[in-house]
Amino acid sequence: MPTWILYIIALSDVNIVCTSSTERELRFHETVASTFSLRIVIRSLPYAVCNMSYSFHPRGKTTSRLVLGDYGGNVRVLEFNPHLRGPFQSKPGAALIELFWTDVLKGKLPQLKCREYINIHTEMIQCAFFSIPLNSLFAAAEYRNVKKYRGRCTGLIVVYGEEKSFFRIPLGVTTFSVDERNNIVVTGGPDMFVRIWDVYIPSEPSGILTGHNSGIVKVFIQSEDKKAYSIDYQKVIKVWDISDHSLLQTFGDLMSIFQGETDLVYHYHKQLRVLLAGGRKLVAIKCNPRVRVDLTDGNTHASPVSVVLYNRLFRNVVTCGLDSFIIVWDPWSGRRKIIMKNCHTKQIYGENIDIEITAACFDPLEQFLLTGARDGSLKIWNYNNAVCIRNMSIKSEHEVTAVIWVVERILAVGWDQQVTEFNDVEGREYTDPKIWPTFHSDDITCADVKLGEGVVTATYSGELIFWKLETGQPYRRYNVENPTEFLELKHSKKLAASTGSPRDSADLSFDYHISVSEEMRKSVMNSIQKLEKTFGIKNSRYKGRKLTVADEQEYSYLQQRKILAPTLPMSVQAVLFLQTRPMTKQHGSVLVSLETGIIQVYSHHQRGGYLTKFNAIHKVGDCVLTMCTDRKNRYLFTGTAFGYIKTWHIQNF
């Protein structure tokens, strides 16, 4: 017969995980090493442990306590000193410690002491907790047998030394939470009511919160904000204000996430303010997360913001995020005007999944919004009334990295390594898109356009191609690692069908491209960190040094990077056309940002090319992710991966 794990608890201050099972034993596993080795096994407990909790002082000033509640209605408390990890201290050659529960009671493991509270309840323990500030033990049980237990039962018992307080509640208590700062206990049970108690007044609750339609299975408190959260058997979460006993919010999305599942488990992390719900899948829910008021007024998107645009026609700001939200803001008051949720979605096994928005732009008249997503879908929005007026797509499951909307044409680039042109002429909107010739051999990361003249595209491997905007034909090709070298334009033919290459196969393309973007960035950061350690380069290398010394060290760093990582491509992070610069060989009209923090300057003239470069960062490992200029191209604004925003004067550069 297989062994069931009944409960698991983390002993955070000593890096131990404890599990209880149907074999009536406790197992303590060490989490310091990656082996997850077993340190102590306690066998033959009188009853199987069905509930555990752990209390410790953050600085180790008091003994740590592991509270065990079992099926016999008993509560046992294991106490130990966490100094040097107590009984779990690692010793060279120390073998696994195996002992029986009777040995623990006899003191054969002197570092582990035990207190027993026998038959504190007549039913199995549902929840138990020891409060160090209150120096009290809380134990709860359910009493569902109405005929056997008439009237209100002692669902919650608080033990303080030799004294006991009885909180009588119909049908008992399934779960409770203690607010040690305000001396409050919140209980929930099968009777569907959430009760708020004063720890020292067990006779009557100070408040009763109603609204659930099934038994309460989990409650927890945020004492700083005076909020209580309750979860019922039907997976409905309610947020309450403890001070005025009012309902603040009802969250029912777990019903759709865990369809057909009833017996879920929950865990609330106080520091991160995250609720974990587990069934066949694991879901993390942010519960009123803390906000640094010195940095922000709060969270606007549920995920990172990917695109920020300013509309000069309507004078508003539009933000798009990886949560598939589009939000329209009034920049003068800072207020949100319109929010559009679930903008890009797809169905997987009957479930709607939100797709991250990765690119966006306005039409030439700035009346409509075009968005591109990670699955290759494109949508045109009348964002003032949140209506989608057109759907398009590049190759399926290939991320859109940049979109360009010029007069009567829409250009989209991404992981499909090609430029896709959509018609924007009235009456021809739904014709097949035009695919520009494929000259790139890797994923396109960014693109920009100069109206009436050309388009520039760049890839992860450092390829840079200039195209004629009117004809869609390329006329110059560069590699950013050797920008002065002449490269012949060669048409890239995909031979996936004949060679069986996984790179272009339909079933593996999505996973491959995800691995390309993630692994490349990881390898870049790893190589940079190794170089920093090898050559002793610190992040703040400009501090207290002359600029010439910093430039020499940067040059040495880049040369060593080529030696140690010759196969690692130098990816392009952003490109920018300077719209007012003339198309001549002498004028730099295109700025290219590399992953090394260098910005290269090119002329997009047919006989032009690479002109110069400059260093745009002051910390090793940083790089420019986005660039923009004013209308007259006098000032360049750059934003880096480390969060720095810089202004450059480029009028005569």
Side-chain angles (χ1 to χ4, degrees), residues 142-285:
E142 291 182 1
Y143 293 88
R144 292 177 177 266
N145 193 335
V146 182
K147 295 181 179 180
K148 182 179 180 181
Y149 306 105
R150 296 182 179 180
R152 294 196 296 173
C153 311
T154 55
L156 177 66
I157 298 177
V158 180
V159 181
Y160 178 77
E162 299 297 328
E163 300 179 359
K164 292 183 179 180
S165 299
F166 300 93
F167 295 76
R168 301 186 180 275
I169 303 167
L171 302 180
V173 173
T174 305
T175 177
F176 66 85
S177 180
V178 183
D179 182 1
E180 298 163 337
R181 178 181 299 181
N182 300 312
N183 298 331
I184 292 175
V185 180
V186 177
T187 63
D191 62 347
M192 302 181 292
F193 294 151
V194 177
R195 291 176 172 84
I196 303 174
W197 305 79
D198 189 308
V199 174
Y200 303 108
I201 307 176
S203 56
E204 290 292 336
S206 59
I208 299 178
L209 309 177
T210 62
H212 284 285
N213 296 321
S214 59
I216 312 298
V217 296
K218 178 70 175 179
V219 295
F220 57 91
I221 301 174
Q222 290 178 346
S223 58
E224 297 176 1
D225 302 320
K226 296 183 178 180
K227 293 180 180 178
Y229 294 74
S230 59
I231 311 170
D232 63 24
Y233 186 75
Q234 296 179 350
K235 304 179 284 291
V236 176
I237 304 175
K238 290 184 180 293
V239 186
W240 312 87
D241 190 315
I242 299 178
S243 57
D244 59 5
H245 303 166
S246 61
L247 177 64
L248 300 177
Q249 182 183 355
T250 299
F251 180 80
D253 289 3
L254 287 181
M255 299 175 67
S256 59
I257 296 174
F258 295 99
Q259 291 183 359
E261 299 183 56
T262 53
D263 296 328
L264 303 182
V265 291
Y266 302 93
H267 174 73
Y268 175 68
H269 196 289
K270 290 184 178 180
Q271 282 69 36
L272 299 179
R273 292 195 173 189
V274 172
L275 174 66
L276 297 176
R280 293 191 182 94
K281 63 182 76 171
L282 190 64
V283 177
I285 305 169

Side-chain angles (χ1 to χ4, degrees), residues 539-612:
N539 284 344
S540 56
R541 63 182 192 283
Y542 286 161
K543 186 175 181 180
R545 302 185 185 182
K546 294 183 179 180
L547 189 60
T548 54
V549 177
D551 289 338
E552 290 175 2
Q553 193 169 13
E554 182 71 25
Y555 177 78
S556 174
Y557 165 73
L558 294 176
Q559 294 301 317
Q560 293 296 333
R561 178 189 181 279
K562 292 181 180 180
I563 296 172
L564 295 181
T567 61
L568 185 65
M570 186 180 295
S571 65
V572 179
Q573 302 294 325
V575 293
L576 177 66
F577 253 117
L578 302 179
Q579 301 293 333
T580 61
R581 297 284 177 94
M583 189 177 180
T584 64
K585 293 188 295 183
Q586 295 79 18
H587 287 83
S589 54
V590 177
L591 303 180
V592 179
S593 168
L594 309 183
E595 68 178 14
T596 56
I598 299 294
I599 293 181
Q600 296 179 345
V601 184
Y602 291 81
S603 168
H604 72 290
H605 190 270
Q606 290 88 339
R607 297 183 181 179
Y610 172 76
L611 297 179
T612 184

Side-chain angles (χ1 to χ4, degrees), residues 3-14:
T3 300
W4 283 31
I5 302 296
L6 298 177
Y7 210 89
I8 184 169
I9 192 75
L11 282 60
S12 307
D13 57 340
V14 291

